[in-house]
Amino acid sequence: QVQLVESGGGQVQAGGSLRLSCAASGLTLYSHVMGWFRQAPGKEREFIGVIGQSGGTSYQESMKGRFTISRDNADNRIFLQMNSLKPEDTAVYFCAAGHARGVGPFQVIYWGQGTQVSVSS
């Protein structure tokens, strides 16, 4: 019954911006923490950031600055604003929900299907 559906991916030029959206159903933003991961070709899945049940955020150190996570409690949705995109940001971006294990990466219980982001030079 739990579903996480990402949208907003696509192909952009370097320096551009994208805003990804993740619609959650079957859970609320108060029952789980939620966040974003990405996986580039040939690389391990990488933690981007998390938004907690109280609305606070935490990011992978290397992601700070250009990426921002926010949420819409009424719509049970989280967002990933990505600015100043670089070719190395090219990856499949995944929405996830789970349980906090302190600050940072969390125990993922549910994954979205992913949305492709391609940044060209």
Side-chain angles (χ1 to χ4, degrees):
Q1 291 184 339
V2 173
Q3 286 189 298
L4 305 176
V5 181
E6 302 98 333
S7 62
Q11 184 165 343
V12 298
Q13 296 282 341
S17 298
L18 282 175
R19 192 187 194 200
L20 306 183
S21 177
C22 173
S25 61
L27 58 81
T28 74
L29 303 185
Y30 302 101
S31 63
H32 295 75
V33 300
M34 295 187 66
W36 293 91
F37 294 75
R38 70 182 185 184
Q39 189 164 18
K43 299 183 68 176
E44 296 290 317
R45 191 163 296 186
E46 182 180 32
F47 172 73
I48 296 173
V50 61
I51 186 162
Q53 292 149 304
S54 63
T57 56
S58 180
Y59 301 92
Q60 179 76 266
E61 191 69 25
S62 62
M63 306 295 181
K64 292 180 179 178
R66 296 187 298 117
F67 292 2
T68 303
I69 298 172
S70 61
R71 74 185 194 187
D72 184 330
N73 295 334
D75 288 342
N76 223 40
R77 182 183 299 269
I78 68 166
F79 304 91
L80 178 65
Q81 179 67 45
M82 304 186 292
N83 299 324
S84 301
L85 286 164
K86 306 172 182 179
E88 53 262 43
D89 294 320
T90 295
V92 177
Y93 284 71
F94 296 91
C95 178
H99 297 152
R101 287 180 170 177
V103 177
F106 57 97
Q107 180 186 11
V108 176
I109 300 174
Y110 305 104
W111 291 99
Q113 80 285 356
T115 185
Q116 177 71 47
V117 172
S118 299
V119 185
S120 61
S121 300

